[in-house]
Amino acid sequence: MKRFTVVLVILFLAFGLSYAKDFTVTKKAGNYMVQVRMDKNPPITGKNNTEIGIKDAAGADVIDAVVIVEYSMPAMPGMPAMNYKTKTETKNEKYIATIDFSMSGAWNINIKITRAGKTQSVKFNVDVS
Ligand SMILES: [Cu+2]
C-alpha cells in the first residue's frame, strides 16, 4: 500500500513537471486571447504536438473557428525558403496540430483563426533545437 502511494506521488510529480515544461506562448489576436502549447521545450526538429486554446473577450472557449498553422524558415545559404501549412482538429475545446520542423534554427509561426468570415493572426518565433 505504501509503495503504491509512492508510485502515485511520483506519477503526479512527473506529470506536473512535464506539464510545466511545455513551451507556451500567449498572445492577443483581435478580441481573442490565444494560448499555444507545444509538448517539447524548446521545440525540436521533427514532430511537436501543438495545442491551441482560443478564448473570446468574455473568456469563453471559442470552438467554432477554422484554425490553420503556417510555419516557415526564410532562405539561408544552401537552403531555399521553407513554408509549411497544417490544419488543426478540435479536441476538448482546443485545436490540435502536429508541427513538423525539418531543421533546427529560427522558425516563424503564423496561426490563422477564421471565424464568421474574419481572419485574425497570431505570429511568433520559435528557436528549434
Ligand atoms: Cu534553414
Side-chain angles (χ1 to χ4, degrees), residues 44-116:
I44 57 157
T45 306
K47 293 187 170 137
N48 297 262
N49 297 315
T50 306
E51 188 188 273
I52 301 160
I54 305 171
K55 291 193 186 293
D56 66 13
D61 286 311
V62 172
I63 52 170
D64 59 348
V66 173
V67 178
I68 298 226
V69 180
E70 293 177 348
Y71 50 110
S72 61
M73 185 186 250
M76 53 196 236
M79 188 210 85
M82 299 191 289
N83 295 288
Y84 299 90
K85 188 192 263 194
T86 183
K87 290 179 184 164
T88 60
E89 56 181 76
T90 344
K91 197 178 162 193
N92 303 327
E93 271 105 58
K94 298 280 196 299
Y95 301 84
I96 311 288
T98 303
I99 298 182
D100 194 353
F101 294 115
S102 55
M103 69 182 294
S104 61
W107 286 78
N108 305 313
I109 305 220
N110 184 9
I111 295 172
K112 287 187 166 170
I113 302 162
T114 304
R115 191 183 183 217

Side-chain angles (χ1 to χ4, degrees), residues 27-30 34 70 110-113 119-123:
K27 269 198 155 179
K28 245 188 140 196
V34 180
E70 293 177 348
N110 184 9
I111 295 172
K112 287 187 166 170
I113 302 162
T119 301
Q120 306 276 7
S121 292
V122 172
K123 292 179 185 179

